[in-house]
């Protein structure tokens, strides 16, 4: 995967230092896993990435120099249960490259690769409400903020214990709890139909 400025590739063992400079930095980690990675966590990520789908854990490098400047991920959901046809996106870029469009370019390219798989209907990103940089990235690549759905009461019939009578009572559909500090963004593959049920 490549763009005019960047190359997105699988991680290599030689990427340990570069990846840890990003994931171990609290400011960068806030946009990825939320907490800075210990060295052992970075080592685990690099070793695990070698056995994953090429779009699940991706190193973002500068074309020409090969410098590793970011990490992008498209994989199972970290926030809540997996969704049929869905992938959760996360990204982090070295702070020296903030404000230069690197995250936007890398995430947009990853989405194009993810959507090559016809079983993927949508991608989702969760951003902290006050992380305006992350939210701007999501919006620039065409993601839309998804408001929580408030389900109306649904009338159902229930047997009354010890009788043959029925009573009507109202229940509400339970929604997956989401931290009030998180904003959910979604991008649906053109022509795809969303399937909302968790797997």
């Amino acid at each position: 995967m490549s763009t005019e400025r960047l190359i997105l590739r699988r991680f290599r063992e030689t990427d340990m230092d570069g990846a840890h400079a990003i994931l171990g930095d609290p400011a960068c980690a806030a946009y990825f896993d939320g907490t800075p990675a210990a060295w052992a966590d970075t080592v685990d990520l690099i070793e695990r990435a070698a056995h994953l789908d090429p779009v699940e854990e991706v190193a973002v490098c500068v074309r020409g120099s090969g410098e590793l400047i970011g990490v992008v991920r498209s994989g199972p959901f970290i926030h809540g249960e997996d969704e049929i046809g869905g992938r959760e996106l996360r990204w982090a870029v070295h702070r020296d490259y903030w404000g230069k469009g690197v995250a936007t370019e890398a995430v947009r390219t990853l989405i194009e690769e993810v959507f090559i798989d016809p079983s993927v209907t949508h991608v989702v990103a969760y951003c902290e409400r006050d992380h305006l940089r992350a939210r701007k990235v999501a919006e620039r690549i065409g993601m839309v903020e998804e408001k929580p759905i408030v389900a109306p009461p649904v009338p159902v019939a229930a047997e009354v214990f010890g009788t043959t009578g029925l009573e009507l009572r109202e229940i509400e559909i339970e929604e997956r709890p989401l931290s009030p500090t998180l904003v959910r963004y979604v991008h649906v593959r053109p022509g795809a139909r969303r399937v909302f049920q968790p797997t």
Side-chain angles (χ1 to χ4, degrees):
M1 293 175 272
S2 62
T3 69
E4 292 182 4
R5 298 186 299 163
L6 307 173
I7 293 176
L8 278 65
R9 60 162 173 78
R10 280 186 182 274
F11 278 101
R12 304 167 181 160
E13 287 187 8
T14 54
D15 292 328
M16 298 286 187
D17 290 335
H20 192 65
I22 298 164
L23 300 177
D25 180 339
C28 298
Y31 296 93
F32 196 70
D33 279 338
T35 55
W39 175 256
D41 297 327
T42 302
V43 171
D44 179 61
L45 180 147
I46 302 298
E47 292 177 345
R48 189 166 39 85
H51 306 288
L52 294 175
D53 183 304
V55 298
E56 281 198 40
E57 298 279 5
V58 184
V60 180
C61 305
V62 177
R63 179 182 288 280
S65 70
E67 179 189 3
L68 193 155
I69 61 171
V71 180
V72 288
R73 174 182 292 172
S74 154
F77 281 64
I78 300 299
H79 299 90
E81 300 177 52
D82 284 343
E83 297 174 12
I84 295 174
R87 296 273 187 96
E88 183 176 342
L89 301 176
R90 284 182 290 161
W91 60 87
V93 172
H94 195 287
R95 64 168 71 205
D96 290 349
Y97 288 85
W98 287 3
K100 298 181 180 180
V102 170
T104 300
E105 194 173 329
V107 178
R108 181 182 287 128
T109 301
L110 185 66
I111 289 175
E112 291 173 0
E113 291 290 324
V114 169
F115 281 163
I116 289 174
D117 181 347
S119 70
V120 179
T121 58
H122 64 288
V123 290
V124 173
Y126 291 92
C127 304
E128 288 289 342
R129 192 169 297 281
D130 60 350
H131 287 177
L132 299 183
R133 286 182 183 275
R135 296 181 65 180
K136 285 180 180 177
V137 169
E139 290 164 4
R140 285 193 198 104
I141 60 181
M143 302 190 85
V144 177
E145 183 179 345
E146 192 171 72
K147 303 293 185 183
I149 297 173
V150 179
V154 179
V156 295
E159 276 196 1
V160 179
F161 180 75
T163 72
T164 57
L166 296 177
E167 66 174 7
L168 287 178
R169 57 188 173 84
E170 291 190 336
I171 62 169
E172 292 189 8
I173 298 174
E174 290 186 11
E175 292 298 314
R176 186 184 326 167
L178 182 63
S179 167
T181 66
L182 287 177
V183 179
R184 175 182 164 113
Y185 284 90
V186 65
H187 182 60
V188 179
R189 177 167 53 82
R193 294 181 62 184
R194 286 283 304 277
V195 179
F196 290 91
Q197 300 96 317
T199 56

